[in-house]
């Protein structure tokens, strides 16, 4: 009988391949023969040296495979390569959210059964791929820098946590009436010099700011009109808590009187030959407490006003120092924020003016007590229209019974309208009850209206025009004064540090008294250096 070929197994993968034998006949089923796993059966083809070269085992290289004690060849074999399995995120459906797209393989992923992705399969926006889309990372384009809205403003000098903005200005021009006289008017060219300093803190809490400047007018053909001027404001805020603040402010001013001013004008042949010096200094202390939208503040203020004596043409001295006085005030204010654009308030102010002398030049005791009540609101109609408006009533009682009680309603308003990004309109209206030296008059009520239009013709060229009208009514006297003023300005910035300035100012003062009327024209061109 012809033995059947042994069956191959994983353990006999390296065994020699036997010569193919004819298929067994049906009648041989169940007959005895060698086992299927017996490769050394008698008469088997495995003992023949004449092997079919086609069925010969392949050539082997290297060391032979190890042989076990039973003579079988042990084949450790190599692990069959595993097919790559792509990981897919589980599908999680959330209410109100779209499911994530299916995971896509990289173009170079070892997956023969998957076709390579084409350009059409890539997302259209490569800068913002989905969480499961594999694309080549592309750096986003840098954002365009924001435009500087103030490209020609001063940069300043940093000193610690303070920012300093010093400047120096020099100018020359012509003044048609430097003494503001009604008669014997004589014009003069002049040279003006000014220096100043602005300070602004850079603190996370509290703050301090200052604006100081001083200058001098030198009239070339009329030295008697020479005059200095200086003023300054220092403001501080102490943040005790987020809702509590202490407010501080110090002010000062220095100037000279003009011979044609109502204070110095005398209706006789006598006139003032020297300019008296005027000065003032003041201090304010306040406290503000926030209660959610409710704000409560109280402020106390003190100021001293100094007037120098003047020499008259007849050699006598005009005793203006008798008008020196101290001003005290205490103000309380309550405001409530209905909306960020509408904050109404109520303010009550008590005042006390105490003169150093019991009598002035005309023999009146002008010390007084007064109270001012105001109701108003700050408003923001749109982002382009903002302002503040208030109405009130002012009343003062004087120590001298010959002086009548001063009573006057007050209206104060400010309106800022940004017509275009280049054009701004500013309107102000104010009512002030002030001191006067007019005989038999207790106070002067001044109503002032002002309109300013500013336009940026170029990024470095600004044009501005301001018109002002003021009317003064004297309580106890029929005299009425009117003041008109027009100012045209042009500022050209060559760089952040160099600016060319030019202006023209028209002034006109009329009074029912007659002898104080004047007209003045002032021209100026200058150069300003700032840091």
């Amino acid at each position: 009988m012809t033995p059947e070929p042994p069956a191959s197994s994983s353990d006999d993968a390296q065994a020699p391949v036997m010569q193919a034998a004819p298929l067994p006949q049906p009648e041989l089923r169940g007959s005895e023969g060698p086992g299927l796993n017996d490769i050394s059966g008698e008469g088997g083809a495995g003992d023949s040296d004449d092997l079919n070269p086609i069925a010969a085992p392949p050539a082997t290289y290297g060391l032979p495979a190890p042989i076990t004690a039973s003579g079988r060849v042990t084949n450790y074999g190599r692990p069959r390569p595993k097919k790559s399995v792509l990981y897919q995120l589980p599908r999680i459906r959330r209410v109100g959210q779209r499911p994530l797209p299916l995971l896509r393989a990289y173009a170079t992923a070892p997956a023969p059964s998957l076709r390579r992705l084409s350009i059409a399969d890539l997302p259209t926006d490569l800068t913002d791929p989905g969480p499961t889309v594999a694309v080549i990372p592309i750096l986003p384009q840098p954002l365009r820098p924001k435009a500087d809205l103030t490209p020609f403003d001063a940069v300043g000098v940093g000193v610690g946590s303070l920012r300093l903005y010093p400047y120096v200005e020099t100018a020359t021009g012509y003044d048609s009436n430097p003494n503001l006289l009604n008669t014997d008017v004589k014009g003069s060219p002049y040279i003006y010099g000014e220096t100043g300093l602005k300070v602004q803190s850079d603190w996370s809490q509290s703050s301090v700011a200052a604006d100081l400047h001083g200058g001098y007018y030198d009239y070339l053909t009329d030295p008697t009109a020479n005059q200095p001027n200086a003023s300054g404001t220092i403001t501080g805020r102490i943040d005790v808590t987020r809702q509590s603040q202490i407010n501080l402010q110090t002010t000062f001013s220095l100037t000279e009187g003009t011979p044609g001013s109502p204070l110095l004008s005398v209706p006789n042949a006598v006139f003032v030959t020297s300019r008296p010096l005027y000065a003032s200094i003041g201090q304010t202390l306040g406290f503000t407490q926030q209660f959610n939208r409710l704000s409560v503040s109280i402020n106390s203020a003190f100021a001293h006003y100094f007037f120098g004596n003047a020499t008259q043409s007849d050699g006598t001295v005009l005793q203006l120092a008798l008008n020196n006085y101290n001003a005290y005030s205490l103000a309380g204010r309550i405001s409530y924020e209905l909306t960020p654009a509408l904050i109404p308030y109520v303010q009550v102010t008590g005042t006390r003016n105490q003169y150093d002398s019991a009598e002035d030049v005309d023999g009146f005791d002008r010390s007084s007590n007064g109270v001012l009540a105001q109701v108003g609101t700050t408003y923001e109609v749109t982002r382009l229209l903002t302002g503040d408006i208030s109405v009130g009533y002012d009343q003062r009682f004087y120590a001298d019974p010959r002086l009548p009680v001063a009573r006057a309603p007050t209206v104060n308003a400010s309106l800022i309208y940004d017509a275009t990004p280049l054009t701004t309109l500013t309107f102000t209206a104010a009512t002030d009850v002030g001191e006067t030296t007019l005989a038999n008059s207790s106070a002067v009520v001044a109503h002032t209206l002002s309109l300013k239009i500013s336009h940026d013709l170029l990024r470095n060229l600004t044009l501005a025009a301001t018109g002002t009208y003021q009317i003064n009514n004297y309580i106890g006297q029929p005299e009425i004064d009117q003041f008109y003023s027009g100012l045209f300005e042009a500022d050209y910035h060559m760089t952040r540090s160099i600016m060319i300035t030019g202006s023209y100012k028209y002034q006109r003062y009329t009074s029912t008294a007659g002898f104080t009327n004047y007209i003045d024209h002032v021209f100026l061109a200058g150069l300003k250096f700032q840091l």
Side-chain angles (χ1 to χ4, degrees), residues 317-328:
V317 176
L318 183 60
Q319 297 292 334
L320 298 179
L322 299 177
N323 298 324
N324 296 348
Y325 70 96
N326 297 325
Y328 308 88

Side-chain angles (χ1 to χ4, degrees), residues 272-337:
V272 174
T273 58
S274 65
R275 289 178 174 244
L277 188 67
Y278 303 156
S280 68
I281 185 171
Q283 178 65 50
T284 301
L285 173 63
F287 180 78
T288 302
Q289 178 66 43
Q290 298 280 346
F291 301 96
N292 198 0
R293 293 188 176 185
L294 181 67
S295 176
V296 179
S297 62
I298 183 171
N299 295 282
S300 61
F302 165 79
H304 178 72
Y305 297 90
F306 170 82
F307 300 89
N309 295 328
T311 304
Q312 298 182 358
S313 57
D314 59 357
T316 61
V317 176
L318 183 60
Q319 297 292 334
L320 298 179
L322 299 177
N323 298 324
N324 296 348
Y325 70 96
N326 297 325
Y328 308 88
S329 66
L330 181 64
R333 176 174 174 141
I334 299 177
S335 62
Y336 185 79
E337 182 181 343

Side-chain angles (χ1 to χ4, degrees), residues 105-371:
Y106 286 93
T108 57
S113 60
L114 300 177
R115 67 180 181 87
R116 292 181 179 272
L117 297 178
S118 62
I119 299 299
D121 297 325
L122 295 176
T124 57
D125 188 6
L126 300 181
T127 62
D128 188 17
T132 60
V133 178
V135 296
I136 301 175
I138 299 177
L139 295 177
Q141 296 294 331
L143 298 177
R144 180 177 297 180
K146 295 182 180 180
D148 188 359
L149 300 180
T150 56
F152 292 97
D153 282 4
V155 177
V157 179
V159 179
S161 59
L162 298 178
R163 202 72 183 174
L164 308 183
Y165 300 90
Y167 73 90
V168 176
E169 181 178 1
T170 180
T172 184
Y174 179 82
D175 192 337
S176 64
N177 189 3
N179 289 316
L180 304 181
L181 297 174
N182 183 27
T183 58
D184 298 331
V185 177
K186 182 174 62 174
S188 172
Y190 68 92
I191 298 176
Y192 177 69
E194 178 179 324
T195 182
L197 174 67
K198 293 184 179 181
V199 181
Q200 181 61 56
S201 64
D202 187 13
W203 303 336
S204 60
Q205 292 182 347
S206 304
S207 68
V208 63
D211 186 2
L212 314 174
H213 62 86
Y216 188 80
Y217 287 91
D218 185 8
Y219 291 88
L220 303 181
T221 60
D222 189 3
T224 60
N226 296 347
Q227 60 174 322
N229 68 85
S231 64
T233 302
I234 303 175
T235 305
R237 189 192 75 244
I238 302 175
D239 296 333
V240 182
T241 64
R242 293 185 60 181
Q243 292 78 26
S244 303
Q245 298 176 351
I246 297 177
N247 303 311
L248 303 168
Q249 187 179 69
T250 301
T251 61
F252 70 89
S253 65
L254 176 67
T255 186
E256 283 187 353
T258 56
S261 67
L263 181 62
L264 302 179
S265 298
V266 181
N268 299 322
V270 179
F271 57 91
V272 174
T273 58
S274 65
R275 289 178 174 244
L277 188 67
Y278 303 156
S280 68
I281 185 171
Q283 178 65 50
T284 301
L285 173 63
F287 180 78
T288 302
Q289 178 66 43
Q290 298 280 346
F291 301 96
N292 198 0
R293 293 188 176 185
L294 181 67
S295 176
V296 179
S297 62
I298 183 171
N299 295 282
S300 61
F302 165 79
H304 178 72
Y305 297 90
F306 170 82
F307 300 89
N309 295 328
T311 304
Q312 298 182 358
S313 57
D314 59 357
T316 61
V317 176
L318 183 60
Q319 297 292 334
L320 298 179
L322 299 177
N323 298 324
N324 296 348
Y325 70 96
N326 297 325
Y328 308 88
S329 66
L330 181 64
R333 176 174 174 141
I334 299 177
S335 62
Y336 185 79
E337 182 181 343
L338 294 178
T339 66
L342 185 63
I343 306 177
Y345 62 85
V346 176
Q347 180 171 322
V348 178
T349 306
T351 61
R352 168 66 178 173
N353 293 340
Q354 182 64 49
Y355 279 75
D356 295 346
S357 177
E359 295 181 354
D360 64 357
V361 177
D362 298 317
F364 290 94
D365 186 359
R366 297 188 175 274
S367 298
S368 63
N369 298 320
V371 61

